[in-house]
Amino acid sequence: MTHGIRPYWQNFIGGEWVDGGDGGRITVTDPATGQPIAEVARGTPADIDRAVASARACFNSRLLRDMRPHRRGDLMLAVARELDACVEEIALLECHDNGKTLAAGRAEVALTQRYLTYYAGLADKLEGRQIPLGDGYIDYTLHEPYGVSAQIVPWNGPLPVGARSIACAIITGNTVVLKSPEDSPLSLFVLAEACQRAGLPAGAVNIVCGYGHDAGAALAAHRDIDQIVFTGSVATGQSVLRAAVDRVVPCVMELGGKSGAIVYADADLDRTAASAVRGIFNHAGQICSAGSRLIVHRSIHDDLMAKVHKLAAQRSVGPGIEACDMGPLINARQLDRVEALCRVGVDEGATLLMGGARVPGMPGHFMAPTIFTNVRPDMRIAQEEFFGPVLVVLPFDTPEEAIAIANGTDYGLAAGVYTRDLKLAHWTADRLVAGQIYVNEWWAGGIETPFGGMKRSGYGREKGQEALLGYVQTKNVAIRL
Ligand code: NAD
């Protein structure tokens, strides 16, 4: 349609490119303009059936399982290499279907390649145990793949989120059916092409785009899947879990967050302000682990907020293709939702320091960077996930109060602490209920560090070596000699 983007993309099932079963298509639009940029085949429940059957046939063939593990790693290395030639194409796609800048799109490819190579290197390092049972016995454990891994991916970072789950599944000998997000499906099709060129067996990886309530629900409820990896909102995660419960299918659940950072009085305020602003305004706050609550000691509150306000006000808002600092929200529905929750914040009596509404006069779904101060923990804006560029700031007087505020939501994905006092940092990290704690830098960590939630933010871990344990089940073999 425009921008040098291929106008039509098919689904990848059983090693072949296919139209939607009933010929339907989904129009993908650019969130920065609201204009259509491409169409994709609309996967239906019948397409999900075909994809699961292909993944099952590939799994049952034992092609992947019987390979030397390092050969499965080689396959992932080959996919990573194939992506070298796709960096600019993917950057452009991420720019136009997801609202990222070209630089951010290129960074997503580099991150994806890191996931692929990291897990490739782990393919031959997942070892079992030998358990002593005394004379006359030998006992050992095996890590067995589950079988068909059903993966459902959100729109905000589909390529790295999809690639890390695919890599973990393949190197442990599973096969994959991945339901890509209907709002931003394009980069995952390029990954499917890379898998095909890299020589993955037909059916090892199947990528189907479709609507959540249709193809997504059909995949979660499918009778022939063996494991689910879901990344998305709590409400959708709950419906996926309800579908899984019937057949007792194990799930990895990566859900939402309302992550808070505590800023103690001795923190380096310049660095804290820069870190906090990045933590909430990167990708317009559409990151599950965004630092969306700042919990600030009253004695430094005004100084810190002056710095945060200044940095936030310097952020340019506009299309990623123009290298603006902050792009659009993904769609009109999400912009309406974020704006409406901001109105709730004003009604609840919080102080609107900046923003609070869409950017007027722009065709896309642009929300102004928004900061609320004087927020109380019981306010809706302190409890609900915006998934947008909205920071809520809550003051505190004692460390105990700060911990209570930080832990006082249904979520537990990430939390942070800013202080020069290492003892206080440890004390705080110990008491925060969240899957990852960032000390003095939001998003400190990497692909090597386990990532996942506590409480309603989910369970199971992606990233790091620990992620592999979500893709295997232990079999014990006890031998009477
Ligand atoms: P979403 O839950 O609406 O959609 C996620 C995926 O689920 C999409 O592919 C969608 O098509 C599919 N889906 C929708 N309804 C379904 C159904 N009934 N059955 C099966 N699948 C269905 O979430 P979103 O708006 O795409 O993403 C935003 C949410 O995801 C936020 O809450 C964010 O915090 C969370 N998220 C979490 C992580 C993490 O790692 N913890 C990462 C990214 C996003």
Side-chain angles (χ1 to χ4, degrees):
M1 290 179 183
T2 49
H3 313 297
I5 291 173
R6 287 180 254 167
Y8 175 57
W9 303 68
Q10 293 170 301
N11 289 319
F12 185 61
I13 298 177
E16 292 177 355
W17 295 94
V18 295
D19 291 329
D22 60 6
R25 294 183 178 199
I26 294 174
T27 301
V28 181
T29 59
D30 184 337
T33 63
Q35 296 302 311
I37 53 167
E39 288 183 319
V40 301
R42 181 168 63 79
T44 62
D47 295 311
I48 292 293
D49 271 348
R50 270 193 290 282
V52 172
S54 300
R56 171 63 57 202
C58 182
F59 182 75
N60 286 350
S61 75
R62 297 191 65 102
L63 252 173
L64 283 172
R65 278 185 81 165
D66 291 349
M67 258 179 209
R68 290 291 293 261
H70 73 92
R71 292 277 172 228
R72 296 197 291 263
D74 288 346
L75 287 171
M76 292 299 101
L77 288 179
V79 176
R81 270 196 300 274
E82 288 296 334
L83 289 180
D84 278 341
C86 313
V87 177
E88 291 310 314
E89 181 181 17
I90 291 174
L92 194 70
L93 297 177
E94 287 293 333
C95 201
H96 287 295
D97 81 352
N98 210 324
K100 297 185 193 236
T101 60
L102 286 173
R106 291 182 194 114
E108 296 258 290
V109 184
L111 176 65
T112 300
Q113 291 176 307
R114 283 274 288 128
Y115 276 125
L116 292 164
T117 55
Y118 176 82
Y119 286 113
L122 285 176
D124 54 3
K125 296 172 189 68
L126 188 62
E127 297 172 351
R129 293 194 298 151
Q130 187 271 319
I131 298 165
L133 288 179
D135 188 38
Y137 293 92
I138 289 182
D139 189 284
Y140 60 92
T141 63
L142 297 168
H143 288 303
E144 300 245 319
Y146 280 108
V148 177
S149 171
Q151 307 182 351
I152 299 178
V153 172
W155 58 266
N156 63 332
L159 183 68
V161 170
R164 72 187 181 201
S165 302
I166 288 173
C168 285
I170 295 296
I171 66 145
T172 48
N174 297 277
T175 57
V176 177
V177 178
L178 184 148
K179 207 291 283 172
S180 59
E182 57 271 39
D183 280 314
S184 59
L186 302 182
S187 56
L188 277 170
F189 288 129
V190 181
L191 182 71
E193 291 172 343
C195 289
Q196 189 179 30
R197 287 198 302 276
L200 260 74
V205 172
N206 304 272
I207 295 188
V208 182
C209 183
Y211 290 116
H213 64 267
D214 187 33
L219 180 58
H222 202 283
R223 300 203 66 76
D224 205 22
I225 60 166
D226 302 299
Q227 179 244 18
I228 295 176
V229 183
F230 174 79
T231 309
S233 62
V234 174
T236 310
Q238 287 167 329
S239 78
V240 168
L241 282 171
R242 277 190 284 273
V245 83
D246 270 357
R247 289 154 302 110
V248 200
V249 173
C251 298
V252 175
M253 284 279 140
E254 296 282 3
L255 307 177
K258 186 76 178 174
S259 303
I262 297 172
V263 189
Y264 286 115
D266 68 338
D268 178 327
L269 295 194
D270 286 316
R271 296 175 79 157
T272 300
S275 179
V277 165
R278 269 197 311 277
I280 185 62
F281 296 125
N282 272 15
H283 200 23
Q286 303 166 107
I287 300 178
C288 53
S289 53
S292 52
R293 294 182 300 147
L294 206 54
I295 302 157
V296 185
H297 193 267
R298 211 176 290 274
S299 66
I300 50 151
H301 178 278
D302 293 355
D303 286 350
L304 179 66
M305 290 321 299
K307 291 175 191 294
V308 168
H309 188 183
K310 189 171 165 206
L311 289 175
Q314 286 166 358
R315 296 221 140 197
S316 58
V317 180
I321 195 74
E322 292 170 19
C324 294
D325 297 322
M326 210 179 83
L329 300 191
I330 190 68
N331 54 38
R333 186 171 32 87
Q334 186 59 10
L335 179 59
D336 289 345
R337 215 186 63 80
V338 171
E339 227 185 7
L341 194 50
C342 284
R343 283 195 294 275
V344 170
V346 172
D347 292 345
E348 286 177 314
T351 305
L352 187 59
L353 187 63
M354 65 184 289
R358 68 190 63 207
V359 180
M362 292 180 83
H365 314 303
F366 292 96
M367 178 74 196
T370 297
I371 301 176
F372 282 103
T373 55
N374 292 320
V375 176
R376 286 193 323 271
D378 63 331
M379 290 178 177
R380 275 182 62 195
I381 58 166
Q383 294 292 328
E384 295 180 21
E385 186 184 38
F386 277 92
F387 218 58
V390 182
L391 180 68
V392 301
V393 184
L394 303 97
F396 73 88
D397 293 302
T398 66
E400 289 76 11
E401 187 189 358
I403 298 282
I405 295 171
N407 290 340
T409 75
D410 285 343
Y411 295 105
L413 189 55
V417 48
Y418 295 92
T419 175
R420 291 183 166 95
D421 180 345
L422 201 51
K423 191 170 170 208
L424 182 60
H426 280 301
W427 182 90
T428 305
D430 195 36
R431 283 158 180 75
L432 288 170
V433 183
Q436 35 277 306
I437 311 296
Y438 307 127
V439 179
N440 288 332
E441 182 185 81
W442 200 261
W443 291 315
I447 63 157
E448 308 88 341
T449 54
F451 180 90
M454 293 184 180
K455 299 196 285 185
R456 238 66 101 236
S457 292
Y459 48 79
R461 292 293 176 265
E462 294 278 55
K463 301 169 60 173
Q465 298 186 32
E466 202 169 316
L468 295 182
L469 301 178
Y471 294 79
V472 292
Q473 48 198 337
T474 300
K475 179 188 276 180
N476 189 78
V477 182
I479 304 172
R480 179 73 168 106
L481 292 173

